[in-house]
Amino acid sequence: EAITRTQQSIGHLFHREGAEHLALDTNKTSLTGSGGTIRLGKQGSGKFNFETGATFRSPELEINDLGFQRLSDEIRHYTWVGYQTLKPVSIFQYVGVNYKHWVATDFAGTLNQVMTSINSDYVFKNNWVFSTGTTIMPYTSMTTELRGGPRLRMPSRAEGYVFARTDTRKKLNVSGVLAGDITQEKALDVLYAELNLNYQPLNTLSLSLQSNFTNLTNKQQYVTQVENEGATKYIAATINQKTLGVALRLNYTINPNLSLQYYGQPFVSTGRYADFKYITNPGANSLAERVTMIEADDMTFDEAEDSYTILSDDSKGESFTIGNPDFAFVQYRSNLVLRWEYIPGSEFFLVWSQGAGGMGDPKEGVLSSLNQQVFQQKIPNTFLMKLTYRFQR
């Protein structure tokens, strides 16, 4: 039973529709797979460096009991070429340019993904840093998106980013990232922004504030699958997901043997679904060809049950019910740690920890959800003590 569950897990999907080189075997009591990386390249102090190689994971490879493995049944080839300056040039202390491409297939030779990336890094003579880059993905076909269904063609897209950072030698330094993309038929849009502040007013005191915001819209986000009239229907929708994360850190060294550290992180992510549709031709190049819209008149929402009833598109006029996929997840974590090295090698820790989280109201905004689920609630407090003693010889 455990091996069967592993074969059906998201990283393997041996029962996946259309994968003729895979087969679910419920009598198996073990899995035997292989994986590895082969690399050839040059890395050093020269102007030009390069690397080419391949990574493979066979369908039965499963190492999550001892590490982390996201996907199996993949062969990924890559090539990287980099150029860097060895001496200051004009206003720059350093300039680096990198090119890389990936091609991924499954073990049957079916193409999964093609990607090309180019980026450049600039270090100015005043120690400021600027980076920019773009990644082009003309073809992506996801084997896991439909959770055991056929592979799903994703829209062609191009991503770009800019990064800037001020001089880290100063008491106050600032860095930020802005990233976005352009996609075929605007089927998948992502906007990402990040701002980091680091301040060290004293040699013994440092503070940092890290914040990031993501706004994602995906017009073919998987929702669920239902059995209707002996056939499996794959239902998708347009999701608008907003995610906000903030992390505050404080480090204060009172003396070499006594220090105080604080870490706090509120996090909230909300997702709202609309424009429900069937995925009817998952391999088609165009989004309009991949999906068939569910008419508004064929859907009713039951607020008391928090579910949708959908009138089937067959001639019998039957219906089925799916749960409301809207969500709002809110979490807050903080730790205050006092560390005292009372004799050399022996330490005492006092920790004050706070944590709260739960599901909010998807109809509320990001900040409103955070305020209602965290700051207006009674947050549990946990106190921990740890004492270590080092025996000296």
Side-chain angles (χ1 to χ4, degrees):
E1 291 177 357
I3 296 300
T4 298
R5 286 195 301 268
T6 300
Q7 292 179 81
Q8 294 177 311
S9 65
I10 193 69
H12 297 276
L13 297 175
F14 275 41
H15 59 297
R16 176 166 57 87
E17 183 181 335
E20 296 182 358
H21 65 295
L22 302 176
L24 177 64
D25 186 350
T26 58
N27 294 317
K28 270 185 175 289
T29 58
S30 65
L31 294 174
T32 301
S34 59
T37 299
I38 302 172
R39 300 187 298 175
L40 174 67
K42 168 190 172 292
Q43 294 186 10
S45 57
K47 288 185 177 181
F48 287 96
N49 293 285
F50 73 93
E51 183 174 292
T52 186
T55 297
F56 67 95
R57 302 178 184 89
S58 72
E60 289 196 2
L61 180 66
E62 173 58 44
I63 60 172
N64 280 312
D65 288 338
L66 56 88
F68 176 75
Q69 176 187 337
R70 188 185 298 275
L71 192 65
S72 64
D73 188 25
E74 184 179 62
I75 302 173
R76 182 177 292 267
H77 160 73
Y78 68 93
T79 296
W80 164 77
V81 179
Y83 169 82
Q84 62 181 356
T85 59
L86 304 180
K87 297 179 181 180
V89 178
S90 182
I91 61 174
F92 302 108
Q93 181 177 321
Y94 169 86
V95 175
V97 180
N98 298 278
Y99 165 84
K100 191 173 184 179
H101 73 252
W102 303 261
V103 177
T105 68
D106 62 20
F107 268 62
T110 305
L111 187 64
N112 285 343
Q113 193 172 55
V114 176
M115 290 195 299
T116 300
S117 173
I118 186 168
N119 63 75
S120 56
D121 305 302
Y122 307 89
V123 180
F124 295 86
K125 289 185 176 179
N126 62 359
N127 212 41
W128 284 41
V129 174
F130 177 79
S131 300
T132 185
T134 184
T135 300
I136 300 173
M137 291 171 278
Y139 181 85
T140 302
S141 183
M142 298 289 291
T143 60
T144 59
E145 191 72 10
L146 297 184
R147 280 62 163 177
R151 61 172 59 241
L152 178 64
R153 178 73 181 268
M154 305 301 289
S156 302
R157 58 192 296 213
E159 300 176 341
Y161 78 90
V162 292
F163 167 82
R165 188 188 69 205
T166 63
D167 189 350
T168 56
R169 299 171 300 179
K170 304 295 184 180
K171 290 185 176 182
L172 175 64
N173 66 82
V174 182
S175 66
V177 178
L178 184 63
D181 59 16
I182 300 173
T183 60
Q184 180 186 15
E185 302 172 279
K186 295 185 177 181
L188 180 63
D189 290 334
V190 181
L191 175 64
Y192 176 81
E194 178 181 317
L195 180 64
N196 303 313
L197 304 174
N198 297 283
Y199 182 51
Q200 188 169 359
L202 305 170
N203 291 334
T204 57
L205 177 64
S206 65
L207 302 97
S208 69
L209 178 65
Q210 300 172 326
S211 59
N212 59 79
F213 176 76
T214 304
N215 186 24
L216 177 146
T217 300
N218 183 358
K219 293 183 179 180
Q220 59 179 41
Q221 174 64 49
Y222 172 85
V223 175
T224 189
Q225 52 187 276
V226 296
E227 296 294 328
N228 184 252
E229 291 297 312
T232 302
K233 294 181 180 293
Y234 298 95
I235 299 175
T238 298
I239 183 176
N240 179 244
Q241 182 177 359
K242 293 180 171 62
T243 303
L244 174 66
V246 180
L248 175 65
R249 289 179 172 87
L250 179 148
N251 293 279
Y252 181 43
T253 303
I254 301 170
N255 60 52
N257 299 322
L258 188 63
S259 64
L260 191 66
Q261 294 180 319
Y262 174 78
Y263 172 80
Q265 183 187 46
F267 173 87
V268 58
S269 183
T270 64
R272 300 174 184 172
Y273 290 76
D275 300 330
F276 289 80
K277 60 208 74 173
Y278 298 112
I279 296 179
T280 51
N281 188 7
N285 179 58
S286 168
L287 174 66
E289 297 173 342
R290 286 194 293 272
V291 303
T292 300
M293 299 298 299
I294 299 176
E295 299 296 334
D297 293 342
D298 293 336
M299 290 188 64
T300 56
F301 179 66
D302 187 333
E303 189 170 353
E305 297 294 333
D306 197 29
S307 64
Y308 289 95
T309 298
I310 302 175
L311 182 65
S312 178
D313 57 353
D314 57 35
S315 59
K316 296 183 179 180
E318 296 184 354
S319 62
F320 53 87
T321 301
I322 65 172
N324 181 7
D326 290 355
F327 66 89
F329 177 74
V330 184
Q331 187 178 73
Y332 173 73
R333 295 286 184 266
S334 74
N335 289 292
L336 181 64
V337 181
L338 177 69
R339 171 190 167 276
W340 174 36
E341 188 173 0
Y342 56 96
I343 58 176
S346 301
E347 297 172 314
F348 171 75
F349 295 90
L350 179 61
V351 181
W352 174 26
S353 177
Q354 288 186 315
M359 305 306 293
D361 186 352
K363 298 177 183 178
E364 297 290 341
V366 171
L367 294 177
S368 298
S369 297
L370 185 64
N371 182 53
Q372 291 181 5
Q373 294 297 315
V374 174
F375 300 116
Q376 292 185 5
Q377 304 295 326
K378 184 177 181 180
I379 300 178
N381 296 283
T382 303
F383 294 92
L384 305 170
M385 289 187 295
K386 177 182 177 181
L387 181 68
T388 67
Y389 179 77
R390 181 183 180 91
F391 293 89
Q392 307 287 345
R393 292 200 304 174

